[in-house]
Amino acid sequence: MTYKLGETEWANLTRHSDWVYWAVGLPACLVVVSALLRMAGMNGRLKGPKGKDGKPKGEGSKEADVMSYELVVLGLLCHFSYHGVHLWFLHSEQLPTDSVHGRSDYIERHILVPMTIYQFWNFFICLFLKEFSDWESLIHHILTTAVSFFGMGPIFQYYGAFFCGCTELSTVPLTAVDIFKKFPRFRDQFATLNSVSRITFAASFLFLRVAYWPVIAVFFWKDAFALLQSGEQKSTFVVLLFLVSNMGLTLLQFMWGKKILGFLVSTVNPPATDGKKAK
């Protein structure tokens, strides 16, 4: 069960100079965008997280820091979505023919390397910005960092195009929804965009992450279990890490999907305020 990186494995994991660009570039972008927003006059603070009574407790993070995070993440999500959709739906012939050990320089450079750095920084940034520090998100960041990094092995890169690429398409409108939620003044100014973002997010999430995700997950689990049964895996630890991570992330998709369905039901059939059931 012990996984020790040999010289070959370490060379595979770190073969790209892109690691440095992303590791330095991402936090640099956050700092620069935050500074520009402060120069533009965004110097306030958000309201603190709500307590059990529904009222905000204290002050939240600085508006410039939160907006900087949202905008940089939005750009990254567009990047992952574009490359994931490009491979999975539009040019599937460019995917590795071997779904287990196939290697793709395209997937490594455009999806795995940036995703590893993004989720690594995401974990610590979310600890700093209390508005994003819910336990589901933190677990998501840890698991995605691990599988993206070890995917450089190469292992299961074929599935990386979907799980780390295509699925982020649903998170693009979610980021817009989150911005409007945290900055009500923009929600009032761009009411139509807010409504479109909510509808687009719900539809894309339910399709990509609740309906389509489990289908691809089943094929992935089949490949992973077959690899373990064959005994040809280079590391049992890594294969089990992928399996446990994917199962955990799959459960998170269902948890989030349940929340979205609950929101849609309450929107279509809101509870009555006079004690009677809504019709």
Side-chain angles (χ1 to χ4, degrees):
M1 287 291 292
T2 302
Y3 182 60
K4 184 177 180 180
L5 286 174
E7 292 183 2
T8 302
E9 287 78 8
W10 184 254
N12 287 339
L13 290 168
T14 59
R15 68 170 63 90
H16 295 299
S17 59
D18 302 53
W19 289 108
V20 178
Y21 303 143
W22 285 99
V24 175
L26 178 56
C29 285
L30 289 168
V31 172
V32 170
V33 174
S34 180
L36 291 174
L37 291 171
R38 283 180 169 83
M39 292 173 61
M42 186 174 282
N43 298 307
R45 282 183 175 272
L46 298 179
K47 293 180 180 179
K50 293 182 179 180
K52 294 181 179 179
D53 57 359
K55 296 180 180 179
K57 291 186 175 181
E59 291 185 328
S61 305
K62 294 181 179 179
E63 288 187 337
D65 292 335
V66 174
M67 182 60 82
S68 172
Y69 172 82
E70 297 278 21
L71 294 177
V72 172
V73 166
L74 182 61
L76 282 167
L77 295 174
C78 289
H79 167 91
F80 294 127
S81 301
Y82 169 78
H83 292 294
V85 170
H86 170 83
L87 282 176
W88 195 262
F89 290 112
L90 303 180
H91 296 282
S92 58
E93 72 279 359
Q94 296 180 16
L95 288 168
T97 53
D98 181 354
S99 61
V100 177
H101 291 301
R103 177 176 175 258
S104 167
D105 187 74
Y106 187 99
I107 292 175
E108 290 179 354
R109 288 184 177 278
H110 298 294
I111 297 178
L112 295 182
V113 171
M115 180 61 78
T116 302
I117 298 299
Y118 162 55
Q119 295 294 353
F120 175 80
W121 278 115
N122 217 358
F123 176 80
F124 293 101
I125 292 170
C126 288
L127 290 178
F128 173 70
L129 298 175
K130 63 184 74 175
E131 290 79 6
F132 303 97
S133 58
D134 58 281
W135 68 268
E136 297 103 322
S137 296
L138 294 175
I139 290 175
H140 175 270
H141 301 330
I142 293 173
L143 295 179
T144 309
T145 299
V147 297
S148 298
F149 179 73
F150 285 112
M152 297 286 293
I155 187 168
F156 300 127
Q157 290 192 5
Y158 172 89
Y159 294 103
F162 176 76
F163 290 119
C164 294
C166 289
T167 58
E168 296 301 343
L169 188 63
S170 67
T171 322
V172 172
L174 173 61
T175 304
V177 171
D178 204 44
I179 291 175
F180 290 126
K181 181 179 179 181
K182 290 180 171 60
F183 297 87
R185 61 182 183 275
F186 296 136
R187 182 175 61 209
D188 298 334
Q189 285 181 294
F190 306 98
T192 301
L193 180 58
N194 179 41
S195 298
V196 171
S197 299
R198 286 175 174 273
I199 295 171
T200 305
F201 162 64
S204 59
F205 188 96
L206 292 175
F207 170 69
L208 285 170
R209 292 179 177 265
V210 177
Y212 196 23
W213 175 299
V215 175
I216 306 303
V218 168
F219 284 101
F220 163 70
W221 297 340
K222 182 180 178 181
D223 280 345
F225 282 120
L227 179 61
L228 290 173
Q229 290 177 348
S230 70
E232 297 177 357
Q233 69 274 15
K234 295 180 180 179
S235 168
T236 301
F237 168 78
V238 170
V239 178
L240 290 177
L241 174 66
F242 270 82
L243 273 170
V244 172
S245 298
N246 189 267
M247 289 177 180
L249 292 171
T250 301
L251 288 176
L252 282 178
Q253 310 313 311
F254 288 134
M255 287 176 57
W256 290 329
K258 182 179 178 181
K259 291 181 180 180
I260 293 172
L261 287 173
F263 169 76
L264 292 175
V265 170
S266 63
T267 301
V268 174
N269 187 28
T273 57
D274 58 355
K276 297 180 180 180
K277 292 184 178 180
K279 295 182 179 180

